């Protein structure tokens, strides 16, 4: 049999939402007993089960999930079953002829030490830990491993005393010593939960402890567990946790429900963190921080992920998903909540800008590519592939739109009703929308299309002013491109926040025809048809519209706006987001114009309107963090998204030309900005100093495009004297991007200084992989052989290989195809032990159709090579086969 035939016959099967059926059995209580040893673990699971189906036609068999577990024994109501009493396959344990209710005891053996997929029970840095979402629990024991089976858990852990901390969900109810240097601890979780929220940790860890008094006066113990030498990096995480707990009480009236909340940081983790009930597991990247080792962005990231996992306690744990098609029920909602939390902790406008930036550079391409899926997908092959930006970030946009349509108060009423109706249940995204509808007496039937239709809608607007009648008519049209399996789309229900500016830049009162008076100067239009007209009356002069304020819907907006008008909006719009947006559009149009010029052999000349607009922003007295955003040009990835066929080199050259020209023309202004925003005092993670650092470092990056002695001196001075990682790494990034004498020694010095700190080394790997220099691909290949690089550690893979393939388009898409070959080699290597990380890395090859023919052929060849690999995981199979379809 040749390879393609084998793939055809063995092709993994898709699972469909339409085939959902309720579980045939339910589990009331789970009593787990773990015996942990150096070469294996023995797991005894006692399940009190009840029948959940009509038995008049006979009892259905009980089909438990289990993968890579060795079955030792099965007891039914304490009677050992003979081998003929059950069937075992690679994926299931089936027991038939069961009574109405019974106890099933299953003993299994697993090998956590050999588990490099990092799902189920595994070892990281010498500690035992778990990751069960989505389907990891079945790698620990046989179980009904689906989220609509919720049970109360008791967990006993027995291990050598060299693992002093034995932790699980809920409250510690007992512990003791045993012979032979062993000890045990028993945990009880009073809340019903699905198996994906189970967690266990056994390790030698230190912890930072604090207390939080909830709004009802209960005292909760908070603990952050880390390796001993990292204890000095836990303060910020603790501070963030307490802020998140308070915020959820104040914003949503949601209080924590157990006596203890634990966070454990581990170095080997596939994702950011996991919200297990009462015992969160975190990638150490999202816990450990001190000014010397973590950047302002890291501090922000920690605050947001700590918040996210904490918020899951209600949106995810107390109310969970009925099935994995409903993943966005908890993820979209929880991302929305963490975004709002971060916005309240710092600058709302800057937070929104960053969120939209990542939506556009990650989610929009996903929605326009072969892996496009709706926020509530209809099918999947491997659920692990659906922890996507669409489920998370577009899901959060969908929640945000409901918030915009219903208002803060209406949304809160909907949330309250959602918890009132569904606490303790496993429900669907539709249940959430129903709660919003009932609480607000609104019909969201059409709005639901956001859950079922994939693709990024495109909005076109046109304005017409009638001077005589003083009427301004705004025509808005919407369309949505076809996506795999969805050739035709129905119109969406879209909130479009907008305002109209007069020639002084002031917002004018907005009165729609038929209204007796103006309703404010910024309002939300509801677009429901494919095309709608909005007639504003009493408009004294030709206005300039400011549309989609705050990015009120996840769409692509097209409107004919001149460069002068964009510069005017950049300088005057009362909506900070739209000021930024106008600047981005202006810069984007100029850069894309240069891409065309470059291809036609024409010269690029930067027009003065733009230089002056930049100069004006630089001198404005706006929040420096916002100014830094205004001055950051659209990324190469976003610019690529704006082109039908990506011109990789053209985009890079044109963008760099604009950066360098701005630096030349505004050198003095950048130097002044650098000085004004330099702060020689002690590092503080406070909005004001974070903002100043961001603007100062942006000025430095512009100046360094000149690669002259003066800027290099300035940069080296910052690199050598910085008292914090933000400044140190900002200087090193600019050095790594220039072919200068200081580059190699600076990289070497940084490595020597931080060789003992894996998280700092991740940055060191990453910044080299993101260098724009020609030799980057070869350097990355060499770095995979560096002693500090570990292919089995996801953070290292993402930092080095991920940075090149996902964030450095001009070097990854090298015309030779070497970047594609390199990625395919690594994916195949990783797929053999960690399919979920391998599949995630593959995304960089998915959108091959966006590139020129030569690159298409090269990318496709690597996808085909991966597909032909014998024993390819279903994770990788799904991404590759859908990409090629
Ligand atoms: N819920 C986890 C995701 C884990 C997925 C593993 N394949 C993290 C989060 O969204 O909070
Ligand atoms: Zn989440």
């Amino acid at each position: 049999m040749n390879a393609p035939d084998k793939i055809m016959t063995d092709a993994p099967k898709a699972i469909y939402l339409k085939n959902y059926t309720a579980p045939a059995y339910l589990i009331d209580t789970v009593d787990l007993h773990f015996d942990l040893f150096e070469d294996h673990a023995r797991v005894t699971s006692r399940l009190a089960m009840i029948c959940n189906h009509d038995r008049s036609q006979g009892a259905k068999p009980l089909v438990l999930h289990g993968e890579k577990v060795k079955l030792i024994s099965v007891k039914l109501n304490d009677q050992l079953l003979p081998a003929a009493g059950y069937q075992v396959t690679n994926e299931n344990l089936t027991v038939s002829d069961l009574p109405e209710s019974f106890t099933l005891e299953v003993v299994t053996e697993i090998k956590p030490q050999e588990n490099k997929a990092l799902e189920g029970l595994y070892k990281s840095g010498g500690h035992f830990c778990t990751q069960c979402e989505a389907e990891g629990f079945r790698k620990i024991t046989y179980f009904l491993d689906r989220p609509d089976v919720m049970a109360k858990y008791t967990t006993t852990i027995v291990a050598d005393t060299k693992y002093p901390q034995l932790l699980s969900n809920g409250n510690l109810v007992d512990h003791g010593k045993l012979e032979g240097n062993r000890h045990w601890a028993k945990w009880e979780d009073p809340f019903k939960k699905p198996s994906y929220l189970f967690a266990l940790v056994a390790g030698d860890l230190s912890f930072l402890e604090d207390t939080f008094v909830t709004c009802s006066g209960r005292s909760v113990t908070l603990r952050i567990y880390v390796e001993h030498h990292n204890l000095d990096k836990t303060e910020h995480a603790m501070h963030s946790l307490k802020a998140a707990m308070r915020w959820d009480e104040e914003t949503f009236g949601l209080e924590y429900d157990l006596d203890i909340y634990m966070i454990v940081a581990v170095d080997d983790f596939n994702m950011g963190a996991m919200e297990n009930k009462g015992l969160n597991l975190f990638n150490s990247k999202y816990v450990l921080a001190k000014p010397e080792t973590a950047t302002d962005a890291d501090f922000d990231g920690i605050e947001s992920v700590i918040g996210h996992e904490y918020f899951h306690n209600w949106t995810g744990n107390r109310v969970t998903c009925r099935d994995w098609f409903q993943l966005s029920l908890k993820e979209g909602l929880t991302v929305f909540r963490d975004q709002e939390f971060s916005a309240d902790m710092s600058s709302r406008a800057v937070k929104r800008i960053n969120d939209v930036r990542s939506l556009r550079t990650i989610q929009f391409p996903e929605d326009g590519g072969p892996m496009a899926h709706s926020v509530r997908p209809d099918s999947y092959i491997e659920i692990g592939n659906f922890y996507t930006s669409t489920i998370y970030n577009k899901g959060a946009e969908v929640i945000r739109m409901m918030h915009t349509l219903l208002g803060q108060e209406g949304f809160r009423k909907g949330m309250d009703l959602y918890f009132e109706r569904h606490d303790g249940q496993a429900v669907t995204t539709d249940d959430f929308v129903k709660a919003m509808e009932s609480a607000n007496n609104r019909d969201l039937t059409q709005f639901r299309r956001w859950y079922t239709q994939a693709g990024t809608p495109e909005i076109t607007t046109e304005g017409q002013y009638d001077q005589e009648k003083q009427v301004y008519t705004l025509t808005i049209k919407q369309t949505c491109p076809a996506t795999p399996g969805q050739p035709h789309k129905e119109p969406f229900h879209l909130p479009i926040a907008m305002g109209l500016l007069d020639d002084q830049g002031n917002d004018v009162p907005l009165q729609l025809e038929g209204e007796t008076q103006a309703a404010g100067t910024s309002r939300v239009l509801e677009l429901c048809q494919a095309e709608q007209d909005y007639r504003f009356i009493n408009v004294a002069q030709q206005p300039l519209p400011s549309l989609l304020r705050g990015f009120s819907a996840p769409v692509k907006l097209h409107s004919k706006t001149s460069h002068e008008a964009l510069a005017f909006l950049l300088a005057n719009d009362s909506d900070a987001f739209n000021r930024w947006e106008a600047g981005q559009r202006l810069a984007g149009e100029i850069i894309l114009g240069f891409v065309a010029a470059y291809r036609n052999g024409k010269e690029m000349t930067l027009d003065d309107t733009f230089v002056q607009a930049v100069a004006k922003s630089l001198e404005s007295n706006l929040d420096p963090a916002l100014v830094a955003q205004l001055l950051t040009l659209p990324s190469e990835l976003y610019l690529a998204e704006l082109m039908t066929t990506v011109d990789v080199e053209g985009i890079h050259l044109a963008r760099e030309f604009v950066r360098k020209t701005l630096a030349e023309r505004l050198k003095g202004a950048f130097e002044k900005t650098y000085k004004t925003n330099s702060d020689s005092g002690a590092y503080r993670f406070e909005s004001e100093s974070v903002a100043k650092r961001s603007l100062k470092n942006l000025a430095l990056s512009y100046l360094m495009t000149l690669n002259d002695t003066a800027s290099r001196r300035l940069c080296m001075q910052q690199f050598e004297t910085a008292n914090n990682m933000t400044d140190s790494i900002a200087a090193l990034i600019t050095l790594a991007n220039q072919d200068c004498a200081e580059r190699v020694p600076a990289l070497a010095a940084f490595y020597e200084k931080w060789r003992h700190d894996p998280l700092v080394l991740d940055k060191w790997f990453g910044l080299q992989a993101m260098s724009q220099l020609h030799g980057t691909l070869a350097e990355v290949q060499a770095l995979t052989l560096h002693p500090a690089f570990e292919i089995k550690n996801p953070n290292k893979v993402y930092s080095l290989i991920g940075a090149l393939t996902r964030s450095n388009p001009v070097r990854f898409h090298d015309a030779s195809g070497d970047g594609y070959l390199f990625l395919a080699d690594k994916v195949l290597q990783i797929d053999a032990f960690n399919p979920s990380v391998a599949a995630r890395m593959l995304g960089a090859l998915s959108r091959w159709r966006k590139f020129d023919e030569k690159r298409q052929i090269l990318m496709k060849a690597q996808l085909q090579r991966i597909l032909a690999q014998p024993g390819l995981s279903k994770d990788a199979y799904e991404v590759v086969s859908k990409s090629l379809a």
Side-chain angles (χ1 to χ4, degrees):
M1 191 188 280
N2 63 26
D5 280 342
K6 181 180 181 303
I7 285 149
M8 297 299 280
T9 43
D10 292 343
K13 298 236 163 9
I15 298 170
Y16 294 89
L17 167 63
K18 62 176 193 282
N19 294 339
Y20 172 84
T21 49
Y25 291 86
L26 293 176
I27 306 176
D28 195 26
T29 59
V30 181
D31 197 355
L32 294 168
H33 185 101
F34 286 84
D35 255 313
L36 304 178
F37 300 100
E38 288 314 299
D39 58 349
H40 75 284
R42 180 169 277 236
V43 186
T44 305
S45 150
R46 273 179 76 83
L47 311 175
M49 303 195 71
I50 45 163
C51 188
N52 189 42
H53 62 276
D54 173 14
R55 296 164 63 92
S56 56
Q57 308 295 318
K60 290 186 183 171
L62 168 68
V63 185
L64 299 170
H65 304 108
E67 274 173 34
K68 299 196 166 87
V69 293
K70 184 172 154 198
L71 182 63
I72 305 296
S73 64
V74 188
K75 278 185 190 168
L76 179 63
N77 290 330
D78 293 320
Q79 296 294 307
L80 203 61
L81 286 184
Y86 53 85
Q87 287 95 46
V88 187
T89 66
N90 280 344
E91 292 179 356
N92 302 109
L93 164 65
T94 306
V95 189
S96 306
D97 303 323
L98 291 161
E100 181 80 44
S101 68
F102 55 92
T103 306
L104 193 76
E105 187 185 291
V106 182
V107 181
T108 49
E109 255 183 37
I110 47 176
K111 300 222 178 251
Q113 298 77 1
E114 291 171 15
N115 179 353
K116 300 298 170 201
L118 315 184
E119 284 171 0
L121 179 64
Y122 65 96
K123 275 193 108 171
S124 171
H127 322 293
F128 287 93
C129 59
T130 52
Q131 171 54 38
C132 293
E133 187 177 359
E135 297 178 336
F137 196 73
R138 64 187 64 184
K139 294 180 175 175
I140 294 175
T141 180
Y142 287 100
F143 202 78
L144 289 177
D145 192 14
R146 45 186 286 172
D148 54 355
V149 173
M150 299 174 81
K152 284 193 183 167
Y153 286 61
T154 308
T155 306
T156 306
I157 309 164
V158 185
D160 194 286
T161 47
K162 77 179 203 190
Y163 305 101
Q165 274 76 42
L166 303 178
L167 315 174
S168 191
N169 317 88
N171 302 311
L172 179 68
V173 288
D174 207 355
H175 60 101
K177 285 215 168 340
L178 294 169
E179 276 179 12
N181 288 330
R182 289 179 74 77
H183 68 147
W184 62 276
K186 184 173 177 181
W187 293 81
E188 212 172 78
D189 184 354
F191 291 94
K192 280 171 74 174
K193 65 166 175 285
S195 51
Y196 82 84
L197 290 175
F198 170 80
L200 172 157
V201 171
D204 182 9
L205 303 159
S206 290
F207 60 84
L208 175 69
E209 185 170 292
D210 209 328
T211 330
F212 180 83
V213 180
T214 71
C215 50
S216 73
R218 279 188 317 102
S219 189
V220 180
T221 301
L222 310 177
R223 282 186 181 175
I224 298 181
Y225 289 88
V226 295
E227 288 180 0
H228 301 292
H229 62 275
N230 283 327
L231 197 57
D232 63 337
K233 297 183 194 148
T234 48
E235 234 171 71
H236 176 64
M238 184 62 88
H239 177 82
S240 304
L241 176 59
K242 290 196 285 184
M245 294 177 90
R246 192 60 77 215
W247 184 88
D248 217 11
E249 290 182 344
E250 286 168 359
T251 315
F252 288 107
L254 298 171
E255 187 179 352
Y256 186 60
D257 50 12
L258 287 164
D259 302 335
I260 186 163
Y261 191 90
M262 296 173 284
I263 288 174
V264 179
V266 297
D267 288 341
D268 303 285
F269 208 72
N270 286 347
M271 309 258 300
M274 179 63 213
E275 70 263 25
N276 317 300
K277 184 78 187 186
L279 177 58
N280 288 183
L281 262 94
F282 269 63
N283 185 326
S284 50
K285 175 177 162 61
Y286 291 108
V287 175
L288 306 178
K290 60 178 181 181
E292 299 78 27
T293 61
T295 61
D296 292 338
D298 295 326
F299 275 77
D300 269 340
I302 290 169
E303 181 180 80
S304 126
V305 179
I306 293 260
H308 181 96
E309 306 312 330
Y310 175 72
F311 302 141
H312 266 316
N313 190 53
W314 278 94
T315 50
N317 302 4
R318 291 287 286 254
V319 183
T320 195
C321 304
R322 187 194 71 173
D323 53 72
W324 292 120
F325 298 100
Q326 319 299 330
L327 183 55
S328 198
L329 171 80
K330 72 178 180 82
E331 295 305 348
L333 178 54
T334 305
V335 171
F336 169 76
R337 278 152 53 67
D338 84 51
Q339 289 176 345
E340 286 298 290
F341 167 58
S342 295
D344 284 345
M345 295 296 117
S346 57
S347 154
R348 182 160 280 272
V350 171
K351 172 68 182 150
R352 187 67 186 138
I353 288 167
N354 280 324
D355 289 340
V356 172
R357 229 192 261 283
S358 79
L359 188 79
R360 281 176 171 163
T361 48
I362 304 170
Q363 200 278 326
F364 280 16
E366 185 172 278
D367 230 354
M371 290 295 287
H373 53 275
S374 48
V375 171
R376 194 206 61 198
D378 299 316
S379 75
Y380 59 75
I381 291 178
E382 166 53 56
I383 184 58
N385 286 331
F386 283 74
Y387 287 76
T388 59
S389 180
T390 299
I391 300 294
Y392 276 67
N393 304 91
K394 187 174 181 180
E397 294 300 318
V398 173
I399 302 288
R400 182 173 299 279
M401 286 190 283
M402 280 190 262
H403 185 271
T404 304
L405 290 169
L406 304 172
Q408 167 75 21
E409 226 174 278
F411 185 81
R412 170 68 196 269
K413 278 200 273 174
M415 286 286 276
D416 289 350
L417 185 61
Y418 172 65
F419 293 119
E420 196 183 306
R421 284 183 178 171
H422 301 298
D423 187 12
Q425 297 176 3
V427 303
T428 63
T429 53
D430 205 48
D431 291 318
F432 183 82
V433 180
K434 276 186 192 144
M436 286 290 153
E437 281 180 319
S438 312
N440 291 281
N441 204 13
R442 282 279 302 246
D443 181 352
L444 295 172
T445 309
Q446 186 185 354
F447 185 84
R448 282 176 170 79
R449 288 181 188 151
W450 283 106
Y451 283 100
T452 53
Q453 295 190 145
T456 309
E458 308 223 2
I459 305 294
T460 322
T461 66
E462 232 181 88
Q464 233 179 12
Y465 181 61
D466 185 332
Q467 173 81 58
E468 209 172 300
K469 296 195 179 121
Q470 308 234 314
V471 171
Y472 178 75
T473 309
L474 182 67
T475 305
I476 314 186
K477 294 181 192 165
Q478 59 163 314
T479 57
C480 182
T483 52
Q486 295 188 338
H488 175 74
K489 317 274 178 172
E490 297 296 331
F492 289 90
H493 179 177
L494 280 152
I496 300 192
M498 52 81 64
L500 298 175
L501 273 67
D502 67 16
D503 58 8
Q504 297 304 300
N506 298 315
D507 281 323
V508 305
L510 301 172
Q511 184 177 5
L512 282 168
E513 199 173 46
E515 291 175 347
T516 50
Q517 57 181 45
T521 54
S522 192
R523 60 190 290 171
V524 177
L525 306 176
E526 295 192 25
L527 178 69
C528 293
Q529 322 280 322
E531 177 172 347
Q532 257 169 279
D533 280 347
Y534 300 88
R535 283 167 61 83
F536 294 93
I537 55 173
N538 298 329
V539 184
Q541 49 166 264
Q542 167 86 46
L544 179 61
S546 162
L547 302 170
L548 212 66
R549 283 183 161 171
F551 203 64
S552 59
V555 299
K556 293 181 184 169
L557 176 69
H558 307 285
S559 64
K560 284 193 203 95
T561 314
S562 68
H563 285 190
E564 287 66 32
L566 289 172
F568 187 80
L569 287 169
L570 168 61
N572 297 292
D573 202 320
S574 62
D575 182 73
F577 178 87
N578 266 10
R579 282 181 91 140
W580 172 79
E581 179 72 337
Q584 293 291 295
R585 259 191 78 179
L586 182 56
E589 286 177 16
I590 289 170
I591 297 171
L592 291 181
F594 287 159
V595 175
Y598 163 73
R599 282 293 158 212
N600 298 327
K602 287 198 195 126
E603 219 179 294
M604 311 188 209
T605 17
L606 194 56
D607 83 76
D608 219 46
T609 323
F610 183 63
V611 181
Q612 289 322 315
V614 172
K616 219 165 147 187
S617 302
L618 207 48
E619 281 152 18
S620 73
N621 49 12
L622 293 169
D623 170 12
L626 183 61
V627 177
Q629 295 286 355
L630 296 179
L631 297 183
T632 304
L633 298 180
S635 68
E636 290 180 25
L637 289 173
Y638 180 57
L639 293 164
E641 196 39 35
L642 298 176
M643 296 189 79
T644 318
T645 301
V646 182
D647 182 341
V648 182
E649 290 102 358
I651 290 176
H652 178 69
L653 290 170
R655 187 178 183 275
E656 284 310 304
F657 167 78
V658 173
R659 263 163 48 83
K660 199 165 172 196
T661 311
L662 285 174
E664 281 162 2
R665 306 263 294 268
L666 302 172
K667 188 167 186 256
F670 280 121
E671 281 168 350
K672 189 170 152 223
T673 302
Y674 183 88
K675 264 201 204 108
T676 329
N677 290 282
S678 291
D679 182 357
S680 50
Y683 173 92
R684 281 168 303 137
F685 180 69
E686 286 169 3
S687 298
E688 208 181 308
S689 24
V690 170
K692 286 175 98 177
R693 273 191 292 278
S694 68
L695 186 51
K696 175 189 70 176
N697 287 321
L698 186 90
L700 178 68
S701 78
Y702 271 103
L703 290 169
M704 274 296 281
T705 61
L706 303 173
N707 199 4
D708 58 4
T709 326
S711 22
R712 289 205 304 270
R713 196 179 307 129
L714 188 68
C715 187
M716 279 310 286
Q717 192 197 356
Q718 174 167 326
F719 179 64
E720 281 162 357
T721 61
N723 65 358
N724 65 82
M725 184 54 77
T726 309
D727 286 342
S728 162
I729 210 91
L732 191 61
I733 287 170
T734 63
L735 286 167
N737 267 310
Q738 292 300 339
D739 194 2
C740 59
E742 292 85 346
R743 183 179 193 271
V744 173
L747 284 167
F750 189 89
Y751 176 75
E752 275 314 311
K753 184 167 177 191
W754 297 110
R755 53 188 305 163
H756 60 279
D757 190 320
L759 291 176
V760 180
L761 287 188
D762 289 345
K763 298 180 198 304
W764 181 78
F765 279 116
L767 66 92
Q768 294 178 79
M770 280 190 280
S771 166
Q772 61 173 349
L773 297 185
H774 282 93
T776 293
L777 178 56
E779 276 191 23
V780 171
Q781 282 169 320
L783 283 169
T784 58
L785 305 173
H786 191 281
F789 181 77
E790 298 164 62
I791 196 122
K792 299 222 161 114
N793 175 253
N795 285 358
K796 289 280 175 293
V797 172
Y798 301 145
S799 303
L800 184 65
I801 306 168
L804 171 76
T805 59
R806 295 191 290 212
S807 310
N808 194 351
V810 72
R811 295 302 154 230
F812 172 57
H813 292 282
D814 188 89
S816 65
D818 288 353
Y820 311 145
L821 178 70
F822 169 68
L823 176 59
D825 284 348
K826 292 298 147 197
V827 164
L828 288 174
Q829 190 185 349
I830 297 166
D831 193 51
F833 59 85
N834 191 334
S836 122
V837 169
R840 283 232 252 160
M841 299 304 296
L842 265 170
L845 287 170
S846 271
R847 292 207 76 197
W848 56 276
R849 288 184 182 85
K850 275 289 271 189
F851 295 86
D852 55 78
E853 215 182 311
K854 243 183 92 188
R855 286 186 172 87
Q856 285 197 9
I857 293 169
L858 294 165
M859 293 173 92
K860 221 170 125 179
Q862 293 309 320
L863 286 168
Q864 281 160 341
R865 176 180 156 223
I866 296 171
L867 190 63
Q869 175 76 6
L872 189 70
S873 69
K874 67 175 175 174
D875 309 55
Y877 171 83
E878 178 168 35
V879 180
V880 179
S881 60
K882 287 185 175 171
S883 299
L884 287 169

